[in-house]
Amino acid sequence: MAKIKIQKKDIWIDMTPMSDVMTLLLCFFMLTSTFLTPEPVQVNTPNSVSEVKIPEQDVLNILVTPEGKVFCGTENKNNMQAMLDAMLEKYNISLNANQIKHFREDAMVGAPMSQLAAYLSLDQEKMAEAIQKLGLPLDSVDGGKSEFQKWVTEARNANPDIKLAIKCDSKTPYASIKKLMSELQDMNENRFQLITNLDVKRLND
């Protein structure tokens, strides 16, 4: 008895709709994603059970390293430029266009005013190395405000609604945090938030 030969047919699936969906998803994620600005120094924040979220806008981020070095900055580049202009006028310092460009590309302010021009004149790679050894001075001069306090003041002048958020390393000495908070309290900045990692395990216990 002869075998019946089954004719093989190629199966063709139209992938065009799937490609359209993937393109739409990619566009959606690209438009809704928030890109994090790299910080000048790596900081490992301590854990806590607080679920209060830090606002995404109008925030002056204050970074404290394990060595007690202080940096500050905000995502709003216009506010950062206004802060810089005011500080340059106070200290009678002028910057060229390339130095200002480097300042706007930097995530945070971390160089003392006496070293700011030299720091901003470096190449990008050397700036990343140099910032590790710098930090805003917390010591007041002639009984006035410290440079850190002046940057905070100009941030407030640039945006009266700005909020303060402190991000410190889990190994930062308590004395450094206390000194920073005292600096803020001396200028009547008594409301600020501490950035921590959510400890889910402790939260569920």
Side-chain angles (χ1 to χ4, degrees):
M1 183 176 179
K3 294 182 178 179
I4 300 175
K5 188 175 182 180
I6 301 175
Q7 185 178 2
K8 295 182 179 180
K9 295 183 179 179
D10 293 333
I11 299 175
W12 180 81
I13 300 175
D14 187 5
M15 300 295 291
T16 303
M18 184 176 292
S19 300
D20 293 340
V21 171
M22 292 301 295
T23 303
L24 290 173
L25 287 174
L26 179 62
C27 292
F28 171 78
F29 286 119
M30 289 179 63
L31 294 173
T32 57
S33 297
T34 302
F35 296 96
L36 297 177
T37 305
E39 295 175 341
V41 181
Q42 184 69 30
V43 167
N44 298 316
T45 55
N47 294 331
S48 75
V49 295
S50 175
E51 295 186 84
V52 179
K53 292 185 178 181
I54 304 296
E56 295 183 359
Q57 297 180 340
D58 299 332
V59 177
L60 180 67
N61 294 297
I62 302 171
L63 187 70
V64 189
T65 70
E67 297 77 24
K69 298 183 183 299
V70 178
F71 307 85
C72 72
T74 176
E75 294 287 342
N76 191 316
K77 295 301 180 181
N78 292 329
N79 289 345
M80 290 288 286
Q81 185 65 53
M83 292 161 57
L84 175 65
D85 293 341
M87 291 295 289
L88 293 177
E89 183 177 354
K90 282 185 178 181
Y91 286 86
N92 194 24
I93 297 174
S94 60
L95 299 177
N96 58 40
N98 189 55
Q99 291 169 329
I100 294 176
K101 177 177 178 292
H102 282 179
F103 177 85
R104 292 182 66 88
E105 292 174 350
D106 236 1
M108 290 186 168
V109 180
M113 293 303 296
S114 60
Q115 304 178 45
L116 183 62
Y119 165 71
L120 295 175
S121 298
L122 299 173
D123 295 333
Q124 291 287 350
E125 293 183 0
K126 293 183 178 180
M127 285 177 63
E129 296 177 3
I131 198 67
Q132 308 284 329
K133 303 176 183 178
L134 301 176
L136 298 178
L138 295 181
D139 299 323
S140 59
V141 180
D142 298 329
K145 292 182 177 180
S146 66
E147 286 190 24
F148 166 72
Q149 289 176 320
K150 291 178 181 178
W151 280 106
V152 175
T153 298
E154 296 309 327
R156 180 69 67 191
N157 291 338
N159 183 1
D161 297 325
I162 202 165
K163 303 171 183 63
L164 307 184
I166 301 174
K167 183 178 181 180
C168 62
D169 194 275
S170 57
K171 297 181 180 179
T172 302
Y174 173 73
S176 299
I177 303 299
K178 183 179 180 181
K179 181 175 178 60
L180 176 68
M181 291 182 175
S182 297
E183 290 273 302
L184 294 174
Q185 291 170 346
D186 288 344
M187 52 191 303
N188 295 323
E189 291 288 354
N190 298 310
R191 300 188 64 179
F192 42 80
Q193 295 174 299
L194 297 176
I195 300 176
T196 57
N197 288 326
L198 181 62
D199 193 334
V200 180
K201 183 178 179 180
R202 287 176 56 192
L203 186 65
N204 295 331
D205 289 344

